[in-house]
Amino acid sequence: MMFILLVMFGISAALVFPTISEAQSEQKTFVTHSGGVITTTGEVLDPLYTSATMEFDPMKYLREFNYGKVSQLPDGTTLREFTIIAEDDKIMEISPGVFFNVWTFNGTVPGPTIRATEGDLVRINFINNGSKSHTMHFHGIHPAEMDGVFEIVGPGGGQFTYEFIAGPVGVHPYHCHVMPLEEHIVRGLYGVYIVDPKEGRAEADEMVMVLNGFDTDFDTENNFYAANTIPFYYQHHPIQINTNELIRIYVVNMVEFDPINNLHLHGNLYHYYPTGTDTVPSFYTDMITLSQTERGIMEFEYEYPGKYLFHAHKVEFSEKGWIGIFLVKDDPKQESPNEVDYGT
Ligand SMILES: [Cu+2]
């Protein structure tokens, strides 16, 4: 009854007071779980509601590598320049109906996958357009002043140029290193940095998986877990791969609060290179355990087509979103056009 009265009052108020248009000037933009960007005032009555394309697409992120703006220095060294902008005012729909203030590098969680070859000069033009101080701390080898810890970059347009020689070979995380670190990481200020060996790696269908989680009720426990941010995304949108094709996954665990995470693959085993620093795999397994920022490279091929799960074998995590499916199809390139039909 009270609700009906409130609605009736609201309708009459909307008719009587034209000031509702002032509220519309406070419109906010949200990224929705279903893939749209909506702009709304949040007003129940007379809402302003427009939609556009989603900014973060887990399927696009999966195979997207940013090699930077490439040029050659006089001594022959390859220079790779990247511009990374930090912001802390974006709202993202983490799960249907659950909106969360994420902090972002270049507008997404995780930030862009930065990729270079061992020995390249990496130059990161970092701009902090957030309302808090932020930095970029890369795992890897570099001078102390490039470590993104003591050189705090102030809010509202602060800038810093990180410059270092890419190395060592492997897969490394980068993340903000401003205190309280827990909050700056769990809000989303992290990404993946890949250093390729000069001789390259075998040709493969390559992907990046960042294992992450979100504490949406601020009790220092995660409410949602995922591979690449959106819970259950790759279960609802299976990752299509081919039989007898080498799959290479750069996996990085960024889950905060929980001491361990893990990754189990169904119907197969994978060769695992911890941190990706060695060219010889250390394990042949279907299960690895990772603490925060622990990472590595997985390589495998599927012999049989079909649907295969991959997920945290910490069941709580998989049931809160960290689960996906590989949809394995027969590789059309490997099917002989003159295949003999032996009949029945
Ligand atoms: Cu930060």
Side-chain angles (χ1 to χ4, degrees), residues 86-88 103 105 126 128 132-136 153 175-181 183-185 187 189:
E87 292 172 298
D88 46 35
W103 300 359
F105 287 130
F126 177 58
N128 179 9
K132 301 161 184 68
S133 294
H134 298 298
T135 64
M136 290 186 79
V153 186
H175 58 87
C176 177
H177 213 297
V178 170
M179 300 296 165
L181 190 55
E183 185 172 23
H184 286 246
I185 289 180
R187 289 282 188 169
L189 286 172

Side-chain angles (χ1 to χ4, degrees), residues 71-79 119-121 165:
S71 59
Q72 219 75 35
L73 297 177
D75 69 356
T77 303
T78 298
L79 169 66
D120 291 348
L121 181 65
I165 301 293

Side-chain angles (χ1 to χ4, degrees), residues 31-32 51 65 82 114 128 164 178 180 207 215 237 244 306:
V31 182
T32 74
S51 66
F65 302 96
F82 303 84
I114 293 171
N128 179 9
F164 47 83
V178 170
M207 311 172 192
D215 169 24
H237 306 86
N244 304 311

